[in-house]
Amino acid sequence: MSKEKIHLNISGMTCVNCSNGIEKFLNKDAGVKSAQVSFASSEGEFTIDTEQISKEKLISKIELLGYGVQEDFKHLEAAQLKAFTKLKYVFTVSMSLTILIFILAMTSLIAEPLNMYLVFALASIVQFYCGSRFYTLSYKALKNRNYDMNVLVALGTSAAYFYSTLVVFAPTLFPEHLRFAYFDGAAVIITFVLLGRYLEECSKQKASDFLKKLMTLAPEIANLLQEDGSTKSVDVKELQIGDKVLVKSGEKIATDGVIVEGKADVDTSMITGESMPVYKSIDDEVLSGTLNTNGVITIEVSKLSNDTTLSKIIHLLKSAQSKQIPISRFADKIANIFVPTVISLSILTFIVWSLVGDMQNAILASISVLIISCPCALGLATPIAIVSSVSKGANEGILIKNPEILEVIKEIKFAVFDKTGTVTKGEISVAQTNVSKEYFSLIGSIEKLSEHPISKAIVKYLKNNDVAMNMHVEDVDIFVGKGIKATVDGKTVLLGNKKLLDEYAIKISQEHLNMYKSELESANGVILAAIDGQSIGSFSLEDQLKDDSKQMIERLKKMGIEPILLTGDNEITAHNIALQLGIEKVYSEVIPTEKYGVIERLQQEGKVMFVGDGINDAPSIKQADIGVTLNSGADISKDAGDIILVNNEMLSVTKSINLSAATMKIIKQNLFWAFIYNALGIPIAAGILYPIWGVMLTPMYAGIAMSFSSVTVVLNSLRLKFKKL
């Protein structure tokens, strides 16, 4: 036996039942050793015995089921966009026609019988054009013995539609008091279920964007150094280990490597989350996708393009996206039992009434059973609650991208937080200074000439203290990774780290040295200042906590959720921040790939929510049971998250938990009310009361009961609007 593992991009799947159906069908084939299909990522992984089945044969089997197999990610994306556009169009048509049907059914704008024929024509378009997907999907579901919502929708709307059609065109088949049409009911069911599918597809479309953006982070072209010292632009994929690559100021680094010449401040925030640029010189490692903010460096390639840290992050993201999320859609679960039960009851009703010799009751009662079991309320229960929840969340600055997380939010055991830009402001600011104010104008005039984040922080601090920064500056020298030197008003000024002052043999006073050491021990950055060879003090720099971070942690603890800090920062800084927040558990100095691993290990003990904002956080956001990101964060992390805090407020973390829990409660209540009507109505529709009291629930009353259950569900969902989070 010769095994081969094959990855395929599958288009045309509209719900998780599609992926389950493909798996079930192919796992029955003797040549397929394993089949795993992800609806979320539209990817399938198959292990086949090449002696029994070829790749081409495997693809043809998938296509026979009605799905497409796309050549690559680009073609898959195009196919998904086409399907999404069609769904949007069909939903718009269905909604427009349903409104027209209601207007015609409720008013007397057009005389009968023309009005009735017009309603029939419009309802037919909704039933067989807009609702055609439910017939197709029902057929596929029944073939795989999977009785889902599609079967209920097709069955219920068909019963209402065909009964109404007979009433319109063959009214003499029914007694006069039974001649009622239910076209509006069938149309509204199809429209609302399409709305649910449309919202689901919106979420899925956005979720697929992040991989594409991440793939464009690293440059495609690199400046390869030739033996004669000249450079040649080459595709990054052509680079080999040991090649020398030139990276100019302002350019992104093409691949992982080691600096062999030059020095530069490198912005690694997109990979490590480090807020300040890191000084890099000879023998230091640099990563693909990071930015050379100043300086010119030559790096020696240490990893091929498909093995870089960035490539590994992409791999982790794909892996997280492809995982089989335990989606438990209540309606579909119950429908698997409900649908066969309703069909059986309808047939049983027909048989029983036939046996007692009453064919009219046999026909009417069996139809009534199907109509009252029409899943209008069942179909509305989840989408209406989600629409209300998303609307409420948007008003509170919370965007719930993935409604599936509603099911697990109540089970959260750990809430894990990134540090920089998440619980802290992610901006360097001056915490304190012991430099005399008489030097502020001089220092500000120099610092405003630099675009370095530290210079900007000092300038902002001085500006807040109303310092004028317009002195004439000359002979400016910028020392990468050390600081700046300039002449102002005839004075030579040095601003930078201790290494720079040591190079100029500046003696630092004991008082200034004590503050310098104290701030370093507190994990704060320090910029020293000297004028004409004399130390004049320093500026202490820090990344401040957000105003509501501490309150948010307190609320989480009250909910019984353990907060955890997970950061790439050093141990001193991490514990200092955790102490201020009241967090006991801290993971520090963790690289991006290790963050992902920490989340995985925590998941073995319980459900995990991860809150982060950087590109480096994206794999952890996807891996966590609930991924939360901030609107101020990187686009990729926003695409990867299940929830986006649009207002960037940390209190919205606990608000989103409260909102999700409330939404889940509403959905359960909706399902209860949807089924209680069926539980009571179906036996009455079958005629159980007729032998005792002569009571028979006609199709008209079955339709009213069905509509009333829908109203109950809608009103119950609207309560979310008034929920205090």
Side-chain angles (χ1 to χ4, degrees):
M1 184 176 70
S2 179
K3 283 186 180 180
E4 185 182 356
K5 191 173 279 188
I6 297 171
H7 291 267
L8 297 175
N9 300 305
I10 302 172
S11 61
M13 293 189 288
T14 58
C15 63
V16 73
N17 290 301
C18 295
S19 54
N20 292 340
I22 297 172
E23 282 182 4
K24 281 184 184 176
F25 179 73
L26 292 178
N27 277 324
K28 290 176 188 171
D29 193 299
V32 180
K33 299 306 164 192
S34 74
Q36 287 185 319
V37 182
S38 167
F39 166 67
S41 63
S42 300
E43 288 182 342
E45 184 181 287
F46 307 91
T47 304
I48 61 170
D49 178 358
T50 53
E51 292 175 6
Q52 297 189 55
I53 186 171
S54 65
K55 181 180 177 181
E56 291 71 25
K57 185 69 178 173
L58 180 73
I59 291 173
S60 69
K61 281 178 177 284
I62 295 173
E63 290 174 340
L64 268 178
L65 290 172
Y67 305 101
V69 176
Q70 305 302 324
E71 187 180 333
D72 52 30
F73 186 76
K74 193 175 176 181
H75 286 84
L76 174 66
E77 196 178 39
Q80 287 175 328
L81 181 61
K82 187 178 175 184
F84 177 70
T85 306
K86 185 180 178 184
L87 174 61
K88 188 178 178 182
Y89 172 74
V90 168
F91 165 65
T92 306
V93 172
S94 184
M95 184 176 63
S96 305
L97 295 183
T98 300
I99 292 171
L100 274 177
I101 290 169
F102 259 90
I103 292 172
L104 292 171
M106 300 297 174
T107 63
S108 305
L109 294 174
I110 301 174
E112 297 292 353
L114 183 60
N115 183 64
M116 195 164 52
Y117 295 144
L118 189 55
V119 169
F120 164 75
L122 296 174
S124 298
I125 298 172
V126 175
Q127 188 72 33
F128 300 113
Y129 173 67
C130 303
S132 60
R133 63 174 50 221
F134 299 114
Y135 289 109
T136 308
L137 294 171
S138 296
Y139 174 69
K140 291 177 185 173
L142 291 172
K143 271 184 71 176
N144 292 297
R145 297 181 181 178
N146 189 25
Y147 310 109
D148 60 11
M149 274 292 296
N150 296 302
V151 178
L152 277 175
V153 174
L155 187 66
T157 58
S158 295
Y161 174 84
F162 286 112
Y163 177 83
S164 305
T165 303
L166 286 174
V167 168
V168 171
F169 293 100
T172 53
L173 288 176
F174 306 94
E176 194 169 340
H177 68 284
L178 297 178
R179 295 173 189 169
F180 294 95
Y182 303 98
F183 291 123
D184 49 353
V188 81
I189 292 167
I190 288 173
T191 299
F192 269 109
V193 179
L194 283 175
L195 172 63
R197 296 283 161 86
Y198 173 70
L199 292 173
E200 192 174 279
E201 278 302 309
C202 282
S203 171
K204 196 181 167 192
Q205 283 282 320
K206 288 179 183 174
S208 65
D209 285 347
F210 73 96
L211 267 180
K212 189 171 62 178
K213 290 177 184 173
L214 194 58
M215 288 171 181
T216 60
L217 193 62
E220 295 180 356
I221 303 295
N223 301 316
L224 179 65
L225 268 177
Q226 307 287 292
E227 288 185 1
D228 60 0
S230 63
T231 59
K232 177 186 174 186
S233 294
V234 298
D235 192 313
V236 171
K237 291 177 184 174
E238 295 177 16
L239 291 176
Q240 298 297 317
I241 292 175
D243 283 349
K244 305 284 193 308
V245 174
L246 183 70
V247 185
K248 299 173 187 173
S249 177
E251 285 184 344
K252 284 183 178 177
I253 296 169
T255 186
D256 290 5
V258 177
I259 297 177
V260 292
E261 187 178 341
K263 52 197 173 183
D265 281 325
V266 179
D267 181 358
T268 62
S269 59
M270 62 287 291
I271 302 294
T272 65
E274 182 69 43
S275 54
M276 285 188 269
V278 181
Y279 173 66
K280 300 278 187 180
S281 60
I282 293 175
D283 292 336
D284 285 338
E285 290 186 348
V286 288
L287 302 177
S288 169
T290 56
L291 179 67
N292 176 6
T293 59
N294 57 29
V296 179
I297 53 176
T298 301
I299 65 169
E300 182 176 300
V301 176
S302 61
K303 289 179 182 172
L304 298 178
S305 62
N306 61 358
D307 192 34
T308 62
T309 301
L310 183 61
S311 299
K312 286 177 181 172
I313 290 176
I314 292 172
H315 175 73
L316 290 175
L317 278 167
K318 279 189 171 182
S319 173
Q321 192 190 37
S322 300
K323 67 185 177 182
Q324 199 68 33
I325 302 169
I327 301 168
S328 52
R329 298 179 188 282
F330 287 106
D332 280 352
K333 276 185 174 178
I334 301 168
N336 268 285
I337 304 167
F338 185 66
V339 174
T341 304
V342 167
I343 295 171
S344 302
L345 284 173
S346 180
I347 295 171
L348 183 63
T349 300
F350 183 85
I351 293 171
V352 170
W353 281 108
S354 300
L355 289 176
V356 299
D358 192 336
M359 280 307 293
Q360 181 174 308
N361 273 354
I363 295 170
L364 293 178
S366 58
I367 290 176
S368 291
V369 167
L370 286 179
I371 288 179
I372 203 168
S373 66
C374 193
C376 189
L378 189 60
L380 285 172
T382 303
I384 282 293
I386 288 174
V387 168
S388 299
S389 177
V390 169
S391 173
K392 173 69 176 175
N395 285 333
E396 297 280 346
I398 301 163
L399 175 59
I400 298 175
K401 279 178 55 189
N402 178 15
E404 288 171 4
I405 53 96
L406 297 172
E407 295 183 62
V408 294
I409 203 136
K410 65 180 184 301
E411 301 168 19
I412 296 174
K413 186 174 181 182
F414 305 107
V416 186
F417 295 89
D418 170 51
K419 184 186 79 65
T420 307
T422 303
V423 292
T424 69
K425 293 180 179 177
E427 298 172 356
I428 307 166
S429 60
V430 175
Q432 60 172 319
T433 180
N434 56 359
V435 174
S436 173
K437 288 184 179 179
E438 64 180 294
Y439 300 120
F440 278 4
S441 182
L442 183 148
I443 290 170
S445 299
I446 297 172
E447 291 288 26
K448 77 174 188 178
L449 299 176
S450 171
E451 287 298 308
H452 196 283
I454 292 176
S455 299
K456 288 182 177 178
I458 293 175
V459 169
K460 185 178 179 182
Y461 173 78
L462 298 178
K463 194 179 286 182
N464 290 340
N465 284 277
D466 299 323
V467 175
M469 293 174 276
N470 52 5
M471 297 177 73
H472 179 65
V473 181
E474 53 189 355
D475 300 330
V476 179
D477 287 318
I478 295 176
F479 304 97
V480 176
K482 296 176 187 173
I484 188 169
K485 172 178 164 290
T487 302
V488 187
D489 198 22
K491 296 182 176 68
T492 302
V493 182
L494 277 174
L495 296 162
N497 57 21
K498 189 169 180 294
K499 193 173 181 181
L500 179 66
L501 268 65
D502 287 344
E503 287 180 5
Y504 280 85
I506 307 294
K507 186 177 180 183
I508 304 172
S509 70
Q510 192 58 47
E511 178 194 351
H512 294 160
L513 204 56
N514 288 341
M515 178 177 170
Y516 172 78
K517 289 178 179 175
S518 170
E519 291 299 321
L520 286 183
E521 286 172 0
S522 300
N524 288 333
V526 182
I527 292 297
L528 295 162
I531 295 179
D532 288 340
Q534 299 295 318
S535 166
I536 60 167
S538 59
F539 291 88
S540 171
L541 306 164
E542 67 175 1
D543 185 8
Q544 292 180 324
L545 284 181
K546 287 182 178 173
D547 298 335
D548 56 353
S549 288
K550 191 171 181 180
Q551 192 181 356
M552 179 266 301
I553 296 296
E554 288 171 356
R555 288 190 183 183
L556 280 175
K557 286 182 174 177
K558 285 180 183 175
M559 290 176 175
I561 298 171
E562 183 180 358
I564 296 172
L565 189 66
L566 178 61
T567 175
D569 274 7
N570 64 67
E571 189 177 349
I572 295 174
T573 303
H575 281 87
N576 185 32
I577 292 292
L579 188 64
Q580 293 180 53
L581 289 170
I583 295 178
E584 285 86 25
K585 200 166 189 176
V586 180
Y587 292 90
S588 59
E589 299 178 18
V590 183
I591 63 175
T593 48
E594 289 175 344
K595 277 188 176 184
Y596 177 90
V598 169
I599 298 294
E600 275 190 321
R601 289 198 295 278
L602 287 171
Q603 283 177 310
Q604 293 173 7
E605 299 177 44
K607 301 290 183 191
V608 178
M609 168 187 272
F610 180 78
V611 187
D613 69 329
I615 291 174
N616 60 313
D617 295 324
S620 303
I621 290 172
K622 287 300 292 182
Q623 173 61 31
D625 299 286
I626 299 163
V628 182
T629 186
L630 282 71
N631 197 40
S632 58
D635 286 346
I636 290 168
S637 67
K638 283 190 280 188
D639 289 333
D642 300 305
I643 296 174
I644 297 176
L645 306 183
V646 181
N647 55 12
N648 297 316
E649 292 177 1
M650 294 312 293
L651 277 179
S652 293
V653 171
T654 50
K655 285 183 178 180
S656 63
I657 295 173
N658 288 334
L659 175 62
S660 300
T663 307
M664 203 60 219
K665 191 176 176 183
I666 290 287
I667 290 174
K668 286 181 179 177
Q669 290 171 348
N670 285 350
L671 291 171
F672 170 78
W673 284 112
F675 277 98
I676 199 71
Y677 282 105
N678 284 315
L680 295 174
I682 289 175
I684 299 172
I688 196 170
L689 300 180
Y690 189 81
I692 307 170
W693 293 300
V695 175
M696 195 78 185
L697 190 65
T698 63
M700 179 185 75
Y701 291 110
I704 291 172
M706 181 187 73
S707 302
F708 190 61
S709 65
S710 302
V711 172
T712 307
V713 163
V714 171
L715 292 177
N716 192 44
S717 300
L718 290 178
R719 291 195 302 119
L720 272 174
K721 188 178 177 182
F722 307 103
K723 173 75 179 174
K724 188 177 179 182
L725 301 176

